[in-house]
Amino acid sequence: MFENNKIFILGFARSGYEAAKFLIKRGNEVLINDGKDESKMDKEKLNELKALGVKFYFGSHPDDLLDESYDYLIKNPGVPIHHKYVEKAEKLGIEVINEVEMAYRLLPDDVTLIGITGTNGKTTTTTLTYEIIKASGIRCHLAGNIGFPLCSFLDKLQSGDVIVMETSCQQLNNLKKFKPNIAVMTNLSPAHVDFFDNSYQKYKDVKTKIFKNQTDKDIAILNLENEEVLNQTKDIKSNKVYFSSKQKTNCYLKDEIIYYNDEKVIDTKNMKIVGIHNIENAMAACMVAKKLNISNEVINDVVCNFIGVEHRLEFSGEVGGVKYYNDTEATNIKCTQIALSSFNNPMVIILGGLERGQDFNELTPFMKKVKAVIAIGECRKRVEDYANSINIPVYVHEFLKDGFKDITTVVKPGDVVLLSPASASWDQYKECEVRGQEFKDLVKNLE
């Protein structure tokens, strides 16, 4: 399989690079096409692949570049689902998959694959799961959205290895035979609908594909408190087990203790990460670990010493008794709701960024502890209007660095300053991580 074929790779990103490198060594003829100019590509990787015999076409997508001579089109997850080459390939009978699906079809039968998805919490859950398994001594690999492309370590796999993989909706869209032994869905709420024809139902259906090929011998770990998850998974064939922060089930929370099958596993008072959502993330990771027969001691030690994922409610420092948290990955209203509900302290929140028509009024039930709003970015005027409408003092600046000057005049010891913008960052930054790093640098300067 995937030997001596002619393969078209659409998108020269990390997964395209790894796929090309893997495929060319198996005797395939490989062409990579990317609409960006060649000057914007990683020269070292580009030269490496050219030396191996990979062909490239950059800068545009000519109508005649893709023809019936190709056996597969491997699509980068970020490429739009209705890209003209995707639609042309389907008309020509060329199978459209992605790097994950390609690599999955080549996985040995004796490895355990864990797939983790959901709208929020999947990165934290994936990281926690990986760290627990690694700490137990089991050989483990981190793949997908936050790890390495799956095909990058195909040749290194050994019998009994475990792969922990964060799977995004964009990846799941082009998966066909992919079947994790254990699949986790943290929750579902509206996100990425613009990628799926502005259809929330289509987004949910794509997310649920993680369970599509599972049988009753495979495990689905589900959030009992998320109605959307329950509705989407009612007909799956998987062996379903549940976690809940509110009621007794397979894994549950009672008196700040996480129990698994009525056995105490984690005292949440000892956890460094905050918020009920992170307790739910820890529950999901705990359930995966217990299915792999990992001891409570290892689970508890890893979870209670875990300080969080960078840019997701990341503790960024304490200055003058004020704690600063970087939640730049909160690019939608739901994420900011979660962040606001994670603290009981008085808060100053930084809101705003790319104008996407987001409805800030949906934050109102969560704003009771907020003493001031810093409005930034392209949609700062709407943030200002919103804050005024609920009678919370607001300070308006185009740039984050200018807003920091107001923060120091507002806060008191015991307060929390929270960057949780409910907005994407592309109005000013290449990516939201750059915004988060700027926030951390500004905190460091205060120190």
Side-chain angles (χ1 to χ4, degrees):
M1 190 182 296
F2 300 109
E3 291 181 322
N4 304 313
N5 292 133
K6 189 175 180 182
I7 299 176
F8 190 110
I9 297 178
L10 182 56
F12 181 47
R14 188 173 59 162
S15 64
Y17 160 74
E18 292 289 354
K21 189 165 66 168
F22 179 82
L23 289 166
I24 202 76
K25 292 176 181 177
R26 292 171 69 90
N28 296 287
E29 181 182 337
V30 180
L31 170 71
I32 295 180
N33 170 239
D34 196 298
K36 294 178 183 176
D37 190 81
E38 184 172 344
S39 63
K40 296 180 179 178
M41 303 299 161
D42 185 314
K43 290 183 180 178
E44 186 176 336
K45 290 180 178 177
L46 188 60
N47 290 335
E48 177 189 2
L49 293 184
K50 282 182 177 178
L52 290 172
V54 177
K55 297 175 183 176
F56 293 91
Y57 195 102
F58 290 116
S60 65
H61 308 291
D63 289 340
D64 60 352
L65 189 63
L66 175 68
D67 58 36
E68 64 275 2
S69 66
Y70 286 92
D71 299 291
Y72 296 95
L73 186 149
I74 296 181
K75 171 186 166 299
N76 182 278
V79 171
I81 58 176
H82 297 302
H83 191 284
K84 69 176 184 178
Y85 284 167
V86 173
E87 294 182 341
K88 184 175 182 179
E90 290 169 348
K91 287 179 183 176
L92 292 173
I94 300 168
E95 188 174 17
V96 179
I97 57 174
N98 57 28
E99 173 270 331
V100 174
E101 177 70 13
M102 179 200 78
Y104 172 77
R105 296 182 187 184
L106 298 169
L107 282 182
D109 293 332
D110 55 358
V111 301
T112 298
L113 177 62
I114 299 161
I116 298 172
T117 197
T119 303
N120 298 306
K122 57 186 177 293
T123 299
T124 297
T125 303
T126 302
T127 306
L128 260 178
T129 302
Y130 169 72
E131 293 295 340
I132 293 169
I133 297 171
K134 187 173 68 170
S136 76
I138 297 172
R139 259 179 62 97
C140 189
H141 308 271
L142 185 62
N145 249 19
I146 62 168
F148 296 93
L150 195 52
C151 67
S152 66
F153 50 79
L154 277 177
D155 296 332
K156 304 171 189 174
L157 290 172
Q158 297 179 14
S159 176
D161 282 6
V162 174
I163 299 168
V164 181
M165 179 173 181
E166 178 185 326
T167 49
S168 68
C169 57
Q170 291 90 347
Q171 289 171 324
L172 285 163
N173 187 62
N174 292 111
L175 297 183
K176 297 181 179 179
K177 297 181 180 180
F178 181 83
K179 182 179 79 71
N181 304 94
I182 302 174
V184 178
M185 183 171 280
T186 58
N187 49 62
L188 284 174
S189 61
H192 301 294
V193 293
D194 51 343
F195 194 80
F196 294 102
D197 302 326
N198 294 314
S199 168
Y200 178 37
Q201 187 58 52
K202 187 175 287 189
Y203 165 78
K204 290 189 290 184
D205 291 343
V206 168
K207 278 288 195 184
T208 314
K209 284 179 70 176
I210 196 168
F211 308 111
K212 179 182 176 183
N213 298 315
Q214 284 194 311
T215 70
D216 58 5
K217 293 183 174 126
D218 303 304
I219 298 165
I221 296 174
L222 308 171
N223 186 345
L224 191 60
E225 299 309 317
N226 190 273
E227 199 67 33
E228 302 276 26
V229 170
L230 301 184
N231 289 336
Q232 283 293 123
T233 58
K234 61 181 183 292
D235 295 325
I236 64 174
K237 297 176 183 177
S238 324
N239 175 14
K240 294 188 275 190
V241 290
Y242 299 91
F243 63 91
S244 170
S245 57
K246 295 180 180 177
Q247 55 188 308
K248 190 173 180 179
T249 184
N250 306 95
C251 185
Y252 61 94
L253 180 69
K254 182 181 178 183
D255 299 328
E256 299 185 278
I257 305 294
I258 293 174
Y259 292 86
Y260 178 80
N261 289 344
D262 297 331
E263 182 181 3
K264 176 181 175 180
V265 183
I266 301 165
D267 185 340
T268 63
K269 293 192 295 293
N270 297 326
M271 289 173 57
K272 291 182 169 63
I273 50 177
V274 298
I276 194 67
H277 66 292
N278 274 325
I279 290 175
E280 292 177 343
N281 295 337
M283 285 177 167
C286 169
M287 292 186 78
V288 175
K290 294 301 289 184
K291 293 297 181 183
L292 298 177
N293 298 314
I294 295 172
S295 72
N296 292 346
E297 289 76 19
V298 169
I299 297 169
N300 187 74
D301 184 60
V302 172
V303 171
C304 290
N305 286 291
F306 184 68
I307 61 173
V309 176
E310 188 177 19
H311 304 304
R312 290 168 174 83
L313 266 185
E314 175 193 13
F315 177 65
S316 303
E318 182 173 345
V319 184
V322 178
K323 292 182 177 178
Y324 292 78
Y325 287 85
N326 163 32
D327 195 34
T328 188
E329 291 274 3
T331 58
N332 60 56
I333 295 292
K334 181 66 176 178
C335 288
T336 300
Q337 290 174 341
I338 291 170
L340 286 165
S341 65
S342 299
F343 301 97
N344 290 316
N345 312 62
M347 280 179 277
V348 174
I349 185 168
I350 302 168
L351 287 174
L354 183 71
E355 179 58 78
R356 270 182 164 175
Q358 54 272 58
D359 186 359
F360 294 104
N361 290 299
E362 294 177 9
L363 296 176
T364 301
F366 303 85
M367 296 285 283
K368 293 172 185 176
K369 293 287 184 178
V370 175
K371 61 190 286 186
V373 172
I374 309 296
I376 65 168
E378 186 179 56
C379 63
R380 60 190 179 277
K381 181 63 171 67
R382 284 207 308 112
V383 173
E384 180 186 21
D385 292 343
Y386 166 65
N388 285 331
S389 74
I390 57 172
N391 298 313
I392 294 179
V394 58
Y395 302 85
V396 184
H397 296 277
E398 184 175 3
F399 301 109
L400 176 62
K401 62 182 180 180
D402 297 321
F404 249 71
K405 298 169 187 174
D406 289 318
I407 289 173
T408 55
T409 67
V410 174
V411 291
K412 294 180 180 178
D415 290 354
V416 163
V417 174
L418 175 64
L419 171 67
S420 190
S423 310
S425 62
W426 300 317
D427 57 328
Q428 296 179 8
Y429 304 89
K430 181 182 178 183
E431 53 195 7
C432 67
E433 290 85 354
V434 178
R435 178 174 61 189
Q437 186 59 54
E438 181 180 340
F439 176 83
K440 292 196 290 184
D441 292 341
L442 289 165
V443 174
K444 192 171 182 179
N445 290 339
L446 291 178
E447 297 171 350

